[in-house]
Amino acid sequence: MDVVVLTLNDRPDEEAAAQATLLAQKGVDIRVVVVGNGCKPEVVPAGALTVCLPKNIGIPGGRNAGSHALRNADDPADWLYFLDNDAAFPRPDVLARLVAEAEQHPEAAWVQPRLTGPDDTTTPRRWVPRLSASAPGRPGRVTSMTEGVVLIRRDAFDAVGGWESRMFLYHEGFDLAWRLYEAGWSGWYAASIRMHHPLTIPARHALYHRLAARNRIWIAHRNLPAPLLPLYLSVWTAITLVRAMRGGGLGETLRGMREGWTTRRTQPRRPMSWRTVYRLTAAGRPPII
């Protein structure tokens, strides 16, 4: 298995702890690459590859760089695992169990573990890859992913072109999931397999409100059939504005919406088929929400 870890050298203690739980995984052979996004990685496990990017090109671009490095390092693995540098494996059999789940669901391009806080229980709504977050322990087919702790089939990932690097940060998982569905795949939520992550909030990043709003418009323009575009954008505009008015960041959200709309045509447009719309809807999330 090939594992991609991205770093800005901004949390060495958390990175060392995360890597220790990675190296403790049993039942799978792993190769690791640590990608320095605009830096030389300082916390690197023995034997790992390193990639030093001259500047910060964003999370999806950095992950692509790590995937490419492993693919070019002879005999790429069948599986890619993308690991946030502050996420931890609570048990030494997590990766082996995820591969076993993937083998039981050959239609799934990705397998998503349940992400919890360090208490092994708390799962914020945003970490549940379905519309209803009331039962985070229920497994099933899903249409979105939590990008920083996800297992993806290498052949499926490469066939659709990997992450969309121009998004820089936020919602790249929605874009990749839709493209994988369009290619005939689906996703699986292995809710009985846990990963741990600090209980942070996305808005801690200064770019959150602007890029999240911009990227929603880009994703819609890239992927949706023309009749669904106004419906999707209307729904998400209303939801986003309500959230911004309640939680702050309204000015940056409006700026991001304007940026997304005025630059939408810089994004390649490849609308999904109506069959894919049906499959996404049947999986529990019609592509208007």
Side-chain angles (χ1 to χ4, degrees):
M1 178 182 298
D2 288 342
V3 181
V4 179
V5 182
L6 203 59
T7 185
L8 295 171
N9 290 334
D10 55 344
R11 42 193 173 207
D13 293 340
E14 291 91 338
E15 289 184 43
Q19 291 179 16
T21 66
L22 170 61
L23 297 179
Q25 292 299 294
K26 300 183 182 303
V28 290
D29 295 324
I30 61 173
R31 295 190 308 173
V32 181
V33 62
V34 182
V35 180
N37 220 343
C39 62
K40 180 179 179 180
E42 295 175 354
V43 182
V44 181
L49 299 175
T50 58
V51 175
C52 305
L53 299 174
K55 65 177 182 179
N56 184 351
I57 61 173
I59 287 179
R63 288 179 177 146
N64 282 340
S67 169
H68 295 161
L70 288 165
R71 185 181 61 202
N72 296 332
D74 297 325
D75 194 23
D78 293 336
W79 308 101
L80 281 164
Y81 194 78
F82 294 95
L83 176 67
D84 272 356
N85 65 351
D86 56 350
F89 296 88
R91 293 172 40 158
D93 62 351
V94 171
L95 288 179
R97 292 174 65 200
L98 285 172
V99 171
E101 286 273 344
E103 290 173 343
Q104 292 175 21
H105 299 281
E107 77 287 352
W110 76 95
V111 177
Q112 183 74 65
R114 176 181 172 183
L115 189 60
T116 76
D119 63 1
D120 202 48
T121 300
T122 305
T123 301
R125 180 182 183 87
R126 67 184 181 277
W127 288 351
V128 182
R130 59 165 65 98
L131 282 176
S132 174
S134 59
R138 176 170 58 87
R141 195 162 38 133
V142 290
T143 66
S144 64
M145 64 177 71
T146 304
E147 301 93 336
V149 288
V150 63
L151 179 75
I152 306 181
R153 296 180 191 272
R154 160 71 79 170
D155 57 351
F157 180 81
D158 288 346
V160 301
W163 306 100
E164 174 46 62
S165 59
R166 284 170 289 193
M167 291 184 178
F168 193 84
L169 180 62
Y170 301 120
H171 301 324
E172 65 272 14
F174 269 108
D175 178 75
L176 179 58
W178 281 0
R179 286 186 283 123
L180 287 167
Y181 260 83
E182 175 66 8
W185 298 93
S186 64
W188 184 257
Y189 179 44
S192 64
I193 304 173
R194 285 175 167 79
M195 285 289 296
H196 290 175
H197 193 283
L199 293 169
T200 55
I201 59 172
R204 72 189 187 281
H205 297 296
L207 296 174
Y208 170 71
H209 295 287
R210 179 173 68 85
L211 295 189
R214 182 199 69 181
N215 289 353
R216 281 290 182 187
I217 294 173
W218 279 7
I219 290 167
H221 180 79
R222 288 167 56 85
N223 295 287
L224 290 182
L228 292 186
L229 275 169
L231 185 55
Y232 177 91
L233 292 176
S234 296
V235 170
W236 271 108
T237 296
I239 291 172
T240 301
L241 288 177
V242 168
R243 287 174 176 171
M245 286 187 288
R246 290 177 176 175
L250 180 59
E252 284 298 293
T253 296
L254 292 172
R255 181 184 170 197
M257 288 180 172
R258 181 178 183 276
E259 181 180 348
W261 184 254
T262 58
T263 62
R264 68 191 186 282
R265 291 193 175 90
T266 65
Q267 300 299 301
R269 181 155 166 74
R270 300 184 182 93
M272 67 179 66
S273 68
W274 288 106
R275 179 176 181 274
T276 299
V277 172
Y278 169 78
R279 292 181 63 234
L280 289 166
T281 303
R285 189 161 195 156
I288 57 171
I289 303 175

